[in-house]
Amino acid sequence: MSNLRILMVEDNESDALLIDRHLSKHGFDFSCKRVDKSSHLKDALKSQKWDIVITDYTLPEMNGLDTLKIIKDSGLDIPIIMVSGNIGEDAAVEVMRAGVNDFINKDNLGRLVPAIKRELKELEHRKEHRETMKELEDAREEMELNRRREHEVKLLGKIVSGIAHEVRNPLNAISALLEALYQELEGVKDLQMYKTYINSQVERLNLLMKDLLELGKTDSTSGFERLNFVDLCCSAIDQWNKERDKKTSKVVFHNLKNLNSLEANGDYSRLKQVLFNLFQNASFYSPENKDIDLFLDYEKNDNTILIDVVDQGEGIAPEYLDNIFDPFFTTKKAGTGLGLGIARRIVEAHQGSLMLKNNDNKKGCTAHIKVSLNRNNSV
């Protein structure tokens, strides 16, 4: 055993030296601090971390039960081994029931080394158990949070989808009536300025209705077909680069496995919409003349398709990380704030996940898509 930190509660210096020599003889590399008063014990527990406590039963100011209570009250998980003279069977049973890990008679120190090794191993097991339970609790809380968010988003989707259907019909009627009005007033001076503005606002409402209807769609797989993710990425990138204006960023494709085909079941048009939404979001935050990178990969061991859309912007502000997928949340002056939420809903319908994170060693943000393939959706 190396670097063992021992806190010894003992008033007899000769007995303490006897224990020191016994441990050294059996190969322990340790440091030891000896205390014999309750106040000194409390200070020592606060001053540093201890691996084990070795305590006598009878001391001038306290006994073994007092020592045990002080350690328990500290909230620390430290094994306690009591090494004492003949204190009587009843007292030994009492301290063991109270929580002392082992009792050893000073005349039989041969049991001390195995007891220390055993308690340190048990301490490690308890530590691993606590860490495992914490990870499980954190995972449970995360799952519950995701479940509540998913339920809220689905409920919101149904509501806004219904509203969108109700608004779309009168909106179409308004568009038709406006077009008829324009024809009636053709040639009227200064009409074009108002026509342009009204058309832009109608188009904005149409876009909002389209996003609301998309948000309200179910996660049905009825529209799935066999598709090639390589072709999907190439087609989305090619269309984006051809249709983009000078203010938007070009997307560069990186086929990490140089695959010609990466097939899985999915909805081609909706997945293409996901990529367009991510391109649009990345382009909005990218500096001028900085490309967006799309990395396509396939992890055979996990049977997953991986797509990363990486920009070189300023990244996501920490205060926004928990809200970026919330419906209607946006930091843009224009836009509905639905694009990322819709993208995540579509990816989740494909048994996948979408997350955004700031890049570790450079500026910008990465949108990471992971699609896990099962027997009904396999490469």
Side-chain angles (χ1 to χ4, degrees), residues 282-297:
S283 181
F284 181 84
Y285 295 104
S286 292
E288 289 186 19
N289 303 319
K290 293 292 185 180
D291 294 338
I292 299 167
D293 294 300
L294 185 149
F295 298 90
L296 174 65
D297 201 359

Side-chain angles (χ1 to χ4, degrees), residues 47-60:
S47 66
Q48 71 173 81
K49 182 179 179 181
W50 301 101
D51 296 309
I52 200 159
V53 173
I54 298 176
T55 179
D56 196 355
Y57 178 80
T58 305
L59 294 103

Side-chain angles (χ1 to χ4, degrees), residues 62-307:
M62 56 184 179
N63 62 27
L65 293 175
D66 298 323
T67 302
L68 178 63
K69 184 177 185 307
I70 291 172
I71 295 173
K72 282 188 172 182
D73 289 346
S74 73
L76 300 173
D77 183 8
I78 310 175
I80 304 170
I81 296 178
M82 187 164 290
V83 179
S84 190
N86 293 320
I87 64 171
E89 184 177 339
D90 291 343
V93 171
E94 183 181 15
V95 294
M96 291 293 288
R97 286 178 175 174
V100 168
N101 297 87
D102 204 346
F103 177 85
I104 296 172
N105 195 292
K106 287 183 178 179
D107 296 331
N108 186 22
L109 290 182
R111 288 187 55 243
L112 181 58
V113 169
I116 291 176
K117 291 181 178 180
R118 181 192 69 237
E119 294 307 324
L120 291 177
K121 185 176 292 187
E122 288 295 322
L123 177 65
E124 185 63 28
H125 289 165
R126 290 198 299 275
K127 180 181 177 183
E128 292 175 356
H129 177 72
R130 286 195 298 268
E131 291 175 350
T132 300
M133 294 304 296
K134 186 178 185 307
E135 290 175 359
L136 289 173
E137 181 62 22
D138 290 345
R140 188 195 66 78
E141 291 179 357
E142 181 67 21
M143 288 175 63
E144 179 62 21
L145 178 61
N146 290 337
R147 188 193 66 78
R148 288 200 302 269
R149 284 181 174 175
E150 182 179 356
H151 176 73
E152 291 170 357
V153 169
K154 286 183 177 179
L155 181 60
L156 177 62
K158 291 180 180 179
I159 294 172
V160 298
S161 178
I163 294 173
H165 277 293
E166 293 299 320
V167 172
R168 212 171 193 186
N169 290 333
L171 183 61
N172 289 336
I174 290 172
S175 298
L177 290 171
L178 283 173
E179 187 59 35
L181 182 61
Y182 296 151
Q183 293 178 9
E184 288 286 338
L185 299 176
E186 188 176 0
V188 176
K189 186 178 181 181
D190 297 330
L191 175 64
Q192 186 60 41
M193 177 181 66
Y194 296 105
K195 180 180 179 180
T196 301
Y197 177 76
I198 293 173
N199 282 343
S200 69
Q201 297 306 305
V202 170
E203 179 59 29
R204 183 180 177 186
L205 285 173
N206 272 319
L207 177 61
L208 176 59
M209 294 305 104
K210 179 182 177 182
D211 285 347
L212 290 175
L213 289 169
E214 181 62 46
L215 188 65
K217 283 185 179 179
T218 65
D219 294 337
S220 171
T221 60
S222 58
F224 282 21
E225 59 183 1
R226 204 69 180 165
L227 61 90
N228 184 344
F229 272 72
V230 178
D231 292 343
L232 170 69
C233 292
C234 289
S235 175
I237 291 171
D238 184 60
Q239 184 178 342
W240 171 269
N241 287 338
K242 286 180 178 178
E243 295 179 358
R244 72 185 181 92
D245 56 42
K246 293 181 179 180
K247 294 182 179 180
T248 55
S249 302
K250 182 178 72 172
V251 179
V252 179
F253 183 42
H254 304 272
N255 187 344
L256 297 182
K257 292 288 194 303
N258 293 318
L259 299 170
N260 293 321
S261 178
L262 185 55
E263 292 189 352
N265 296 327
D267 188 316
Y268 186 91
S269 61
R270 297 187 79 197
L271 286 172
K272 196 170 184 180
Q273 180 187 355
V274 169
L275 295 180
F276 262 74
N277 286 359
L278 296 180
F279 296 163
Q280 188 174 29
N281 190 70
S283 181
F284 181 84
Y285 295 104
S286 292
E288 289 186 19
N289 303 319
K290 293 292 185 180
D291 294 338
I292 299 167
D293 294 300
L294 185 149
F295 298 90
L296 174 65
D297 201 359
Y298 171 62
E299 182 58 52
K300 187 174 182 179
N301 292 334
D302 294 334
N303 200 26
T304 55
I305 294 173
L306 306 173
I307 299 175

